[in-house]
Amino acid sequence: MITRIVQAYDTLVLNRPKSVLVVLLSILIFFGYHTRNFKLDASADTLLLEEDVDLNVFRDINERYPSSELLIVTYTPIDDLFSDQALEPMTELREELKKVASVNAVFSILDAPLFDSSDADIQEMLKNMPSMEKEDVDRARAREELVNSPIYRDLIVSGDGKTTALLLEMAPNIQFDRLLKSRSMLRSKSRKTSLSDTETQDLERISAEYDRVRDLMSAQRHLDIAQIRGIIAPYRQYGTIYLGGLPMITDDMVTFVRSDLTVFGAGVLAFLILILTAIFRQLRWIALPLVSCFYSGLTMIGVLGLFGWMVTVISSNFLALMLIITISMNIHLIVRYRQLHRDNPDDNQLTLVRMTIHKMVKPCLYTALTTIIGFGSLVVSDIKPVIDFGLMMSAGLTVTFMTSFLLFPTMLLVIGKNETATTVEEVRFMFPEYLAHLTEFQGNKILVLALVLSVLSIAGISMLRVENSFINYFSEDTEIYQGLKLIDEELGGTTPVEVLIKFREDVEELTAEDLAEMTEEEIIEERAFMEAMRTQPELWFTPTKIQLIKKAHDYLDGLPEIGKVLSLASSVRVVEEILGKELEGLDMAVLYNKVPAEVKNSLINSYISIENNEARIVARVLDTQPDLRRKELLNKIHLDLGSQNDFDQLSDYKLLINDVTVSGLLVLYNNMLQSLFSSQIKSIGVVMLGIGIMFLVLFRSFALSIIGILPNLLGALVVLGVMGWAEIPMDMMTITIAAITIGIAVDNGIHYIYRFREEYALTGSYEETLHICHSNIGKAVFYTTMTIIFGFSILIMSNFIPTIYFGVLTGAAMFIALMAALTVLPKLILLWKPFGSVKV
């Protein structure tokens, strides 16, 4: 079968190069057309786990307590915040922001209802709520109330009264919300049971419509944010202004991804030209690999566009990686072709190309497969963008291999043989030969050093941590970082966490036993009470419930990791301060009926659901705290507020609690972080198993499989160990380093062992073969790996900190793996002698 495949390849490809180039050009045009559908995605979905049960809880809560997306404009004026010099431009800014079409409303200290800054009766205030804009409001009293208010402090004004925030409520997209809900329901059902044909068609239709609406919404958000930034810019003369909020972060991250794609592609291209010029110093050996890179890169972008595969921050480096791997495969082909040309100068071009392909296809196929296994192992992760990155690169490597063995040889055949090639001097490079001598005479010391590094690395790996603040994903000079930092430190924290306290039912149905023990009058009274509880929602507010909410609120507020806390208790305490007494159930009932609908929705209904008999407490975590431990914090909150707790402050009321749910973005983000460990272990396990099988199939030797894997594992171990010792936290990017490093670096082992076996069959001496291999395949391995390392170094130009870590650490791991492949690996061959005894 293999012989027939080889014959077919020779006949269809090598004997008809011009026809193959026409077909390849047609394929390029087809996929080039679909590059117009290439899209980027930086939505919050890219930080979610696949099948996260907490995500469904989060969405259910959002349905019960709907809230619009917010953009936040922070304003720290040069003058006193409550002076005319600061408030007048702020008023103008607010009015301009209100004119933005997608902004539903703007809420600021100018709009905040004031309860303690007027001498009017509370009933009068409810009819005409005082605010900073009213002329009869005492500004000094307003300042005092705002800065100390349980509601407004750390929400729209900082504790020191120097910074304020304008909250821009963005218009909701009802169609998008409806499609998201429908798609989520069908996806959830498909994971549990099989969908019917109709449901499958519905899912496809809804998903397509969802993508269309999301793209339109993202485009509109981009225009809105650009307009808002244009409005803000002139007002920076009055103070420091930052724009924040999830819509802005999402939009900026798309810009970052687009910038990274451009910068990475251009940077890698420039580097490749330099490295090819330095190594080969001939135009054809510069042009041919670059054409292969262009072809594979453009084709893959078209594939992504054709199948609607969107690039995220995690996969933004896919193009750079594809170019690097394509060029490394092409370098192997060039080096082998040039060697054959020197050894067989009289052979024609077809013979030289055929020999090159026949000798290189097997090791290149296996190196491509092992690299695919390295990236493919990422699919066992629970993190969607990591899974997509693994699949994307696996597809890209398939394109790279096909390009290298279809486009490269046919172009080489068309341009013909360079008769002067044998007279061109190669760059004299002694380093691989030096490593050969070092391995032969100091090999035992090298093995001891490798063992010591492995032990230290394992110790470092035991110290790896996953705690990482979202704010640390961005450079300090970005508006995202500066805005998040100010909001976190001055305005009550950034990442929200929600606590829902489900109460036991106040009213239970009368059983037959109850009816038997009650008089007729008691039954009538009981049923009247039950009906009143169902039809008069104000009766829900019992003193015990309010007291419990207060205590739970205070508990959260007392945690050092928690910033701003909002609940029904916030509103109740404002009213209690005005009245000078603690509210009773009847007071709350009256207040609930009297308060204006707008105030009721924002200050009461946002924090309770009478229908569901639950209270909601919203808190924000101080994400910049260096010692923040999210998992421990969430576990503590759930345990302390749960119905089976020993929390002393709530012990008198815990019989009222039916259940406690902890949700919010903090929970979803923590779930993603906590999955990193398991994802790391699973991906390394899969890649090691897959590569081990590949080695066994290729070399049919257990000894060679061990020899090939161990040196390449060293690079990944050392880098992970360094991360542990240096306290560099794992994130969505760095968890991919180990699997990718092993998958790419093992290519060196395959090429080296494959050539060693070939040369040993001719020499019969392990030592002589060692030096021969270092002088030929050793150079190719060194060139390709250094190309990969410098290619990864381009990633330091990213705006995304995890991408920078990924580039630097992966480059370091590849260098260590290279050194191991040219020292540890050959030393193991010398010791193990896997090809048999030395021939006499």
Side-chain angles (χ1 to χ4, degrees):
M1 180 179 176
I2 294 176
T3 303
R4 287 198 297 270
I5 293 174
V6 171
Q7 291 174 347
Y9 177 84
D10 290 346
T11 303
L12 297 176
V13 178
L14 299 185
N15 292 334
R16 301 176 181 178
K18 292 182 180 179
S19 299
V20 172
L21 287 177
V22 171
V23 173
L24 291 175
L25 180 61
S26 302
I27 293 172
L28 182 65
I29 292 172
F30 173 78
F31 285 110
Y33 172 77
H34 287 285
T35 57
R36 64 193 182 95
N37 297 320
F38 177 72
K39 296 174 184 177
L40 308 175
D41 183 18
S43 64
D45 289 346
T46 61
L47 295 176
L48 302 178
L49 295 182
E50 287 287 275
E51 304 181 22
D52 187 353
V53 293
D54 287 315
L55 178 59
N56 293 328
V57 174
F58 176 75
R59 286 173 174 164
D60 288 343
I61 292 172
N62 282 346
E63 279 193 38
R64 293 203 295 277
Y65 303 95
S67 60
S68 301
E69 285 189 312
L70 288 178
L71 280 172
I72 303 171
V73 178
T74 66
Y75 174 48
T76 308
I78 299 172
D79 298 298
D80 181 76
L81 175 60
F82 291 87
S83 66
D84 290 336
Q85 292 82 358
L87 291 177
E88 287 176 4
M90 180 180 168
T91 304
E92 295 174 8
L93 173 61
R94 182 193 62 173
E95 295 308 311
E96 285 198 60
L97 292 173
K98 284 182 177 179
K99 295 177 183 177
V100 177
S102 295
V103 175
N104 260 2
V106 179
F107 184 74
S108 68
I109 57 173
L110 300 170
D111 312 282
L114 299 174
F115 300 93
D116 199 27
S117 301
S118 171
D119 295 325
D121 179 79
I122 188 170
Q123 297 292 340
E124 186 65 29
M125 279 196 293
L126 291 175
K127 295 178 183 177
N128 183 22
M129 293 299 300
S131 68
M132 282 272 289
E133 288 191 303
K134 302 292 175 63
E135 293 182 359
D136 58 340
V137 170
D138 186 323
R139 192 172 292 180
R141 290 177 62 181
R143 176 190 190 122
E144 184 71 18
E145 178 176 351
L146 287 167
V147 169
N148 294 289
S149 169
I151 300 174
Y152 306 132
R153 178 188 173 98
D154 295 333
L155 179 67
I156 55 174
V157 64
S158 61
D160 58 10
K162 295 180 179 180
T163 299
T164 188
L166 292 85
L167 307 182
L168 281 59
E169 180 186 314
M170 307 303 289
N173 189 314
I174 298 174
Q175 184 182 13
F176 175 81
D177 294 339
R178 176 179 56 79
L179 290 168
L180 175 61
K181 182 179 179 181
S182 300
R183 189 188 69 154
S184 299
M185 289 175 61
L186 287 171
R187 280 185 169 183
S188 178
K189 184 177 179 180
S190 69
R191 286 192 290 264
K192 297 175 182 176
T193 60
S194 59
L195 298 178
S196 65
D197 292 341
T198 302
E199 289 173 327
T200 301
Q201 293 173 2
D202 287 344
L203 179 57
E204 293 176 357
R205 176 182 54 80
I206 290 171
S207 296
E209 183 67 8
Y210 170 85
D211 291 340
R212 186 188 69 82
V213 173
R214 180 202 54 210
D215 292 343
L216 291 174
M217 189 172 71
S218 297
Q220 184 58 51
R221 281 284 187 264
H222 179 72
L223 295 175
D224 294 337
I225 290 168
Q227 182 182 358
I228 290 169
R229 281 188 164 130
I231 292 172
I232 288 172
Y235 290 92
R236 288 199 164 97
Q237 62 181 306
Y238 301 108
T240 303
I241 299 179
Y242 294 119
L243 179 63
L246 186 59
M248 184 275 287
I249 293 173
T250 300
D251 185 70
D252 276 9
M253 286 180 69
V254 170
T255 303
F256 290 168
V257 173
R258 187 176 290 112
S259 173
D260 282 353
L261 281 170
T262 304
V263 170
F264 295 164
V268 169
L269 180 62
F271 165 73
L272 293 180
I273 293 173
L274 291 175
I275 199 72
L276 291 170
T277 303
I279 295 173
F280 298 117
R281 297 183 295 168
Q282 280 189 299
L283 181 60
R284 65 166 53 198
W285 304 130
I286 299 170
L288 289 179
L290 291 179
V291 172
S292 293
C293 287
F294 171 79
Y295 188 94
S296 61
L298 189 64
T299 300
M300 189 59 199
I301 291 175
V303 170
L304 299 181
L306 176 63
F307 294 103
W309 218 346
M310 292 190 291
V311 171
T312 66
V313 173
I314 307 303
S315 52
S316 62
N317 55 15
F318 92 94
L319 184 59
L321 295 180
M322 273 197 66
L323 297 180
I324 293 166
I325 295 171
T326 302
I327 213 74
S328 67
M329 192 171 291
N330 277 236
I331 287 175
H332 276 293
L333 293 174
I334 293 170
V335 169
R336 195 57 185 265
Y337 172 87
R338 285 162 66 95
Q339 180 192 348
L340 292 170
H341 192 181
R342 285 194 303 271
D343 296 342
N344 306 281
D346 296 329
D347 287 347
N348 61 33
Q349 182 73 336
L350 178 59
T351 301
L352 289 174
V353 173
R354 183 187 293 118
M355 289 174 62
T356 300
I357 297 301
H358 287 186
K359 286 182 176 295
M360 294 302 298
V361 66
K362 195 172 182 180
C364 284
L365 173 62
Y366 279 92
T367 56
L369 289 175
T370 53
T371 308
I372 287 173
I373 289 172
F375 283 102
S377 67
L378 302 179
V379 302
V380 301
S381 168
D382 298 317
I383 306 168
K384 187 178 185 302
V386 174
I387 296 171
D388 289 344
F389 179 46
L391 293 173
M392 194 177 296
M393 284 305 302
S394 298
L397 285 163
T398 303
V399 172
T400 290
F401 179 80
M402 299 298 292
T403 300
S404 298
F405 283 87
L406 291 175
L407 181 64
F408 183 85
T410 51
M411 288 193 301
L412 195 55
L413 287 168
V414 169
I415 65 175
K417 182 180 177 182
N418 184 358
E419 298 298 340
T420 62
T422 56
T423 64
V424 176
E425 289 287 337
E426 285 199 37
V427 177
R428 183 66 174 166
F429 190 61
M430 300 296 297
F431 188 64
E433 296 176 24
Y434 167 76
L435 292 178
H437 285 285
L438 191 67
T439 301
E440 183 178 1
F441 299 106
Q442 304 293 332
N444 291 332
K445 293 180 180 178
I446 290 172
L447 292 181
V448 171
L449 176 61
L451 182 61
V452 171
L453 286 175
S454 298
V455 172
L456 291 175
S457 299
I458 292 171
I461 290 172
S462 67
M463 294 185 285
L464 279 173
R465 59 190 180 92
V466 298
E467 290 295 344
N468 200 358
S469 297
F470 184 70
I471 188 175
N472 292 329
Y473 288 169
F474 306 97
S475 301
E476 293 185 8
D477 58 348
T478 61
E479 187 173 20
I480 292 179
Y481 181 92
Q482 294 168 351
L484 284 174
K485 190 172 187 293
L486 179 66
I487 292 169
D488 198 76
E489 294 179 349
E490 302 294 335
L491 293 169
T494 46
T495 311
V497 59
E498 301 182 30
V499 175
L500 270 72
I501 300 176
K502 181 82 171 179
F503 296 104
R504 299 191 186 279
E505 293 297 329
D506 297 311
V507 179
E508 298 180 358
E509 294 297 328
L510 295 175
T511 64
E513 291 79 4
D514 295 330
L515 294 172
E517 296 177 359
M518 299 172 64
T519 64
E520 186 174 343
E521 290 183 358
E522 288 175 336
I523 293 174
I524 293 173
E525 290 177 1
E526 187 66 23
R527 284 179 171 165
F529 172 74
M530 292 165 61
E531 184 63 24
M533 289 292 291
R534 292 189 182 99
T535 58
Q536 300 179 46
E538 63 272 15
L539 297 179
W540 184 88
F541 298 94
T542 64
T544 307
K545 285 179 181 173
I546 295 172
Q547 190 67 11
L548 187 145
I549 294 170
K550 285 182 180 179
K551 288 183 178 291
H553 178 114
D554 292 342
Y555 162 72
L556 289 173
D557 200 31
L559 295 174
E561 301 91 344
I562 297 293
K564 183 64 178 175
V565 181
L566 286 171
S567 70
L568 179 66
S570 308
S571 307
V572 168
R573 281 172 171 153
V574 168
V575 177
E576 287 179 343
E577 189 173 337
I578 297 171
L579 298 177
K581 67 169 186 175
E582 189 170 315
L583 290 183
E584 297 179 356
L586 182 60
D587 297 323
M588 277 300 304
V590 172
L591 185 64
Y592 185 80
N593 286 327
K594 295 284 186 180
V595 73
E598 183 178 350
V599 177
K600 181 189 295 184
N601 286 332
S602 62
L603 299 183
I604 300 178
N605 292 341
S606 293
Y607 304 107
I608 63 164
S609 173
I610 296 175
E611 179 183 355
N612 293 284
N613 197 25
E614 69 184 13
R616 174 179 178 240
I617 305 174
V618 181
R620 282 184 281 149
V621 173
L622 302 173
D623 209 42
T624 54
Q625 281 201 353
D627 57 347
L628 177 61
R629 297 291 179 267
R630 294 168 184 80
K631 182 179 180 181
E632 288 81 352
L633 174 63
L634 290 170
N635 288 341
K636 176 178 172 58
I637 291 173
H638 195 276
L639 178 64
D640 288 348
L641 295 181
S643 58
Q644 303 298 322
N645 67 78
D646 296 319
F647 185 48
D648 294 336
Q649 287 183 305
L650 297 182
S651 60
D652 295 338
Y653 305 94
K654 67 181 181 181
L655 293 177
L656 280 176
I657 302 175
N658 186 50
D659 190 25
V660 170
T661 302
V662 182
S663 184
L665 287 178
L666 180 69
V667 174
L668 302 182
Y669 183 56
N670 175 71
N671 289 350
M672 185 274 291
L673 289 178
Q674 297 306 320
S675 74
L676 296 180
F677 273 124
S678 60
S679 296
Q680 179 81 88
I681 294 169
K682 287 189 289 186
S683 62
I684 292 178
V686 169
V687 76
M688 292 298 293
L689 177 62
I691 289 173
I693 294 172
M694 282 292 173
F695 268 102
L696 286 172
V697 172
L698 177 60
F699 298 115
R700 297 177 183 177
S701 167
F702 181 77
L704 284 176
S705 299
I706 300 297
I707 291 172
I709 291 175
L710 287 181
N712 297 292
L713 183 60
L714 182 63
L717 285 177
V718 170
V719 167
L720 291 177
V722 168
M723 288 177 61
W725 285 108
E727 298 184 352
I728 298 173
M730 295 175 66
D731 54 46
M732 294 175 293
M733 291 293 293
T734 54
I735 67 160
T736 66
I737 290 175
I740 291 173
T741 298
I742 296 171
I744 297 177
V746 79
D747 298 356
N748 298 334
I750 290 176
H751 280 292
Y752 191 91
I753 295 173
Y754 197 84
R755 180 63 69 88
F756 199 102
R757 183 174 64 178
E758 185 179 307
E759 297 293 343
Y760 178 76
L762 300 175
T763 66
S765 168
Y766 280 95
E767 287 74 14
E768 183 181 351
T769 304
L770 166 69
H771 290 279
I772 292 173
C773 287
H774 271 66
S775 65
N776 49 56
I777 192 62
K779 286 185 179 180
V781 164
F782 191 89
Y783 291 154
T784 55
T785 304
M786 293 307 296
T787 301
I788 292 171
I789 291 170
F790 282 109
F792 275 112
S793 69
I794 300 296
L795 303 185
I796 65 174
M797 302 170 69
S798 174
N799 290 300
F800 197 54
I801 301 299
T803 301
I804 296 174
Y805 273 133
F806 174 77
V808 172
L809 294 173
T810 306
M814 290 298 301
F815 182 77
I816 295 168
L818 170 65
M819 292 297 99
L822 294 179
T823 56
V824 177
L825 188 149
K827 180 58 182 177
L828 291 175
I829 291 177
L830 295 181
L831 288 176
W832 212 315
K833 294 182 172 50
F835 304 111
S837 302
V838 178
K839 296 179 181 178
V840 179

